[in-house]
Amino acid sequence: MLLALASFHWLELPLRHNARLEARPAWARILIFALFPLLGYQLSDTLFRHRNDLSLSTVARHAVDWYAGSQMPYVDPTQRNCEVAMHSQGLAGGVAHSYQASACKTPARRQTVNVIGDSHAGAYLPMLEQLSADTGVSVHLYTYPSCPFLDLSQPQGRYRDPGCLAFSQQVLKKIAEESRPDDVLFMPSLRMPRYGDQWASFNIPDMHERIYNPAAEKDRAEALAEAQGWLQPLAQRGLRLVFEAPKPIFQAPTFRCADAFNRHNPICVGDNQQPRSTLLDLRAPVLNGMQRLSQQVPGLSIWDPLPVLCPGEVCSSLREGRPLFFDGDHPSAYGNWVLYPDFKRMILSFPEAAPAP
């Protein structure tokens, strides 16, 4: 109301009774005032088109670093080894994404990289697409929301959407039927409890107790016993099986706490940091389970992103102001870029698949 009164008294009235304007013909005054809405439209359109550049938020100003799309944003597409086409379709309640390379400048690698998991698998889309562009491998990503594949914390069908188990079964059947020896199955998923999601904290008072209590240990023992049944049929077909070791998890969503003006928000706990020793302790039970399985299942290995993301004693979700994580646990586009060289090295360490008959 006060702004409206101020506008009326100090903007509208002076323009209405301006001596210079009143001296002009009526048509000229009408034309001048008709220009104001056009100028307002032009101004608002310009502000809207440049909103990211003008924003106070680093997330908006540097969106390319934050949002993991379907392609690595830091590479000139004209300089890549292969052209890559992406195709997506529904599968058993989830989504199947495929990257197919073509027109490669050097011979394409004979290998298919299959990926199964929850949204943490989907967060690796830029890295997987870049792998296909660099090496020519085919990539098939199968993802179902809130359906981690073999999180080794609880059996696959427990405490989850009923569709999760059916999705996992159908995808593994498809991979077993279509894969050749030395093809890869990469299994990234959320494998530790979260402190919260993007919108709220879960208010977990003691994460160590949450992970190490007797009920959680019993669930892990059952999950570990069950896991061999999922993996052995694929190992017998000669697939290279790769677990992703648990990545760092943070107490707050990075995108909501990266700007100074948001740091007093109650959700912004931990200053976007976690002690490395804390994370090693929290992930130890799951990592121990992976290591035991790698001794029991032929061709099973572990790729660990934590040393790349956290080389020091304190882990941060930001590196020199750029986000490694979008929220408390999903890697950002920049996080994909940081991890990609080590991930590519791991894939190239495997022999190529045999030629198709």
Side-chain angles (χ1 to χ4, degrees):
M1 179 67 75
L2 292 175
L3 288 175
L5 288 171
S7 174
F8 177 74
H9 283 288
W10 289 303
L11 183 64
E12 194 172 327
L13 285 180
L15 284 174
R16 282 184 180 180
H17 303 292
N18 183 279
R20 291 185 179 182
L21 286 175
E22 289 181 341
R24 297 181 182 277
W27 66 266
R29 295 198 302 272
I30 293 172
L31 179 60
I32 289 171
F33 282 104
L35 289 175
F36 278 99
L38 295 177
L39 291 172
Y41 167 78
Q42 184 63 43
L43 177 62
S44 62
D45 180 64
T46 301
L47 290 173
F48 186 79
R49 283 188 287 109
H50 296 279
R51 63 191 182 278
N52 287 349
D53 299 324
L54 299 170
S55 175
L56 296 176
S57 169
T58 185
V59 179
R61 291 198 312 273
H62 305 289
V64 68
D65 281 347
W66 287 86
Y67 295 96
S70 59
Q71 188 177 58
M72 193 73 80
Y74 308 104
V75 181
D76 182 353
T78 65
Q79 301 301 314
R80 303 203 300 175
N81 184 46
C82 305
E83 297 176 8
V84 179
M86 180 182 182
H87 177 70
S88 301
Q89 63 181 19
L91 176 68
V95 180
H97 301 285
S98 294
Y99 285 126
Q100 296 293 338
S102 63
C104 296
K105 299 171 186 174
T106 60
R109 183 176 174 84
R110 293 192 310 271
Q111 201 160 49
T112 296
V113 176
N114 300 285
V115 185
I116 182 174
D118 53 15
S119 59
H120 289 71
Y124 280 142
L125 274 171
M127 193 167 69
L128 296 169
E129 194 271 349
Q130 188 62 35
L131 179 72
S132 184
D134 278 352
T135 67
V137 300
S138 297
V139 176
H140 301 301
L141 165 65
Y142 306 98
T143 179
Y144 189 110
S146 302
C147 179
F149 180 68
L150 301 184
D151 67 1
L152 304 185
S153 295
Q154 54 201 27
Q156 189 64 19
R158 187 176 297 173
Y159 312 129
R160 298 195 178 103
D161 184 316
C164 174
L165 181 61
F167 170 80
S168 303
Q169 292 169 335
Q170 186 161 335
V171 169
L172 258 64
K173 180 175 182 292
K174 178 178 173 64
I175 292 172
E177 292 172 350
E178 298 178 0
S179 295
R180 296 170 296 172
D182 290 319
D183 280 344
V184 177
L185 175 59
F186 177 47
M187 300 169 282
S189 284
L190 179 66
R191 292 191 166 93
M192 292 194 293
R194 310 173 82 183
Y195 286 96
D197 58 20
Q198 295 184 0
W199 313 116
S201 170
F202 296 161
N203 297 315
I204 300 173
D206 187 343
M207 185 63 83
H208 179 90
E209 193 279 335
R210 170 79 174 268
I211 289 175
Y212 283 90
N213 70 76
E217 292 179 352
K218 180 175 182 294
D219 280 344
R220 281 195 298 272
E222 293 180 19
L224 191 63
E226 178 197 64
Q228 283 199 56
W230 288 92
L231 298 175
Q232 285 288 5
L234 298 172
Q236 290 168 2
R237 292 177 177 268
L239 271 75
R240 301 284 175 166
L241 309 175
V242 183
F243 271 128
E244 178 205 38
K247 297 183 294 293
I249 56 171
F250 297 90
Q251 298 181 64
T254 312
F255 79 99
R256 293 187 62 185
C257 306
D259 295 302
F261 54 79
N262 279 331
R263 300 243 171 102
H264 296 293
N265 188 320
I267 201 173
C268 295
V269 178
D271 194 28
N272 298 317
Q273 294 181 337
Q274 279 275 64
R276 182 189 178 100
S277 59
T278 297
L279 293 172
L280 294 178
D281 174 64
L282 296 179
R283 76 179 195 150
V286 168
L287 187 58
N288 290 340
M290 290 179 177
Q291 291 166 343
R292 288 177 58 185
L293 283 170
S294 69
Q295 297 170 0
Q296 300 165 353
V297 178
L300 175 61
S301 60
I302 303 167
W303 177 63
D304 191 354
L306 190 142
V308 178
L309 295 170
C310 179
E313 294 304 311
V314 176
C315 302
S316 175
S317 60
L318 299 165
R319 180 171 293 176
E320 297 179 350
R322 302 178 75 178
L324 295 173
F325 290 84
F326 179 78
D327 50 19
D329 40 70
H330 290 90
S332 64
Y334 180 66
N336 273 258
W337 181 244
V338 170
L339 286 170
Y340 177 66
D342 194 66
F343 177 75
K344 179 182 175 182
R345 176 202 55 75
M346 180 268 296
I347 295 295
L348 294 182
S349 70
F350 299 133
E352 290 188 69

